[in-house]
Amino acid sequence: MAGSKCTRLNGALIKQVLDSVDSVLFDCDGVIWRGDSAVPGAAEVINLLKKHGKNVYFVTNNSSKTRKLYAQKMGRMGFNVEEEDVFGTAYCTAMYLKTVANYKGKVYLIGSNALKQELEDVGIQQTGVGPDHISGAPSDWANVPLDPEVKAVVVGFDEHFSYMKVNRAMQYLNDPSCLFVATNTDTRLPLEGGKAVPGTGSLVTAVEMAAQRQAQKVGKPNGFMVDCVASQCGGLDRSRCMMVGDRLDTDIMLGTNCGLKTVLTLTGVNTLADAQAHQGSGCPERQKMVPDYYVESIADLLPFLQG
């Protein structure tokens, strides 16, 4: 499989690459769907890969849904997917706290009901989900009541994100022994029609700046996401595994960090020009964001899979 990076994946090369892998990891937003619309041909690609005997997993930095809800969404779109195939950062953050941090206390959660559910499923209680309205003066904010059982702050996607939530997180994090964990740092979430909304990274940065601390990030490009897949599927031969995504700084860097083959699809955040700029930069760190291959859409794989 030697050759230059950032190569167009088409023709006979598709068969060569797919024959060299047993497992394929897909990002979701911007790869198999945009918002609530499936990328044309994506469901057929996923279902045919499974029919061809490939192990297919989904690794998404989006923490707004549980594994079960993601599987249900995919099922409605025509994807043949089981709950156990899905590794979102809500689930992986819960697993990180349980297995890596060996955390036993309560969490102050800036996040969704999905993240709350995944934490509770592994026995971790939380406080903080829902609106937190501001009242009083700055002196009141600095002395906001804190739950003494909280020994960790977790930040994920939160549609109720507010000044008071940043403040409350900061007050907990003034204790240096308080853990600080973030699901991911994606700056934007791509939607259909080329639109986007702020991602979790925007929220995480606000809390980091206020707390003057850096969060431990669970999501891509952290290799813990791949560790989660490997631990659940009984092992993963990384030399025969491929990561497919639309973001260079998360999906492609994850693949590079974990020794996987990488494919950039141009249906989401980053462009071919972005990848080529990294390739020509001469910067070793930016080289980690250069994919081995690129496709216009994962539907480019259909001719081989249907043949």
Side-chain angles (χ1 to χ4, degrees), residues 200-271:
T200 302
S202 305
L203 285 54
V204 173
T205 299
V207 177
E208 286 182 330
M209 291 184 69
Q212 298 182 349
R213 289 178 55 178
Q214 294 294 304
Q216 170 62 46
K217 284 82 173 180
V218 171
K220 300 172 290 185
N222 190 323
F224 183 72
M225 297 284 283
V226 175
D227 293 341
C228 276
V229 177
S231 65
Q232 183 159 303
C233 71
L236 198 66
D237 183 351
R238 299 187 184 200
S239 68
R240 293 187 59 81
C241 184
M242 183 167 72
M243 177 72 215
V244 183
D246 69 310
R247 292 185 65 109
L248 300 173
D249 60 347
T250 56
D251 304 318
I252 303 307
M253 186 173 278
L254 171 75
T256 302
N257 289 343
C258 295
L260 318 181
K261 297 176 180 68
T262 54
V263 179
L264 172 70
T265 177
L266 303 179
T267 49
V269 172
N270 283 121
T271 65

Side-chain angles (χ1 to χ4, degrees), residues 66 89-98 103 105-127 129 152-155 181 183:
T66 61
T89 49
Y91 170 77
C92 290
T93 297
M95 293 306 297
Y96 174 85
L97 288 169
K98 180 183 178 182
Y103 186 70
K106 186 184 284 187
V107 162
Y108 175 62
L109 177 60
I110 296 177
S112 63
N113 280 309
L115 188 45
K116 171 187 174 182
Q117 185 64 56
E118 296 286 18
L119 289 172
E120 291 180 347
D121 284 350
V122 300
I124 297 174
Q125 297 303 306
Q126 61 72 47
T127 182
V129 169
V153 170
V154 174
V155 182
V181 178
T183 59

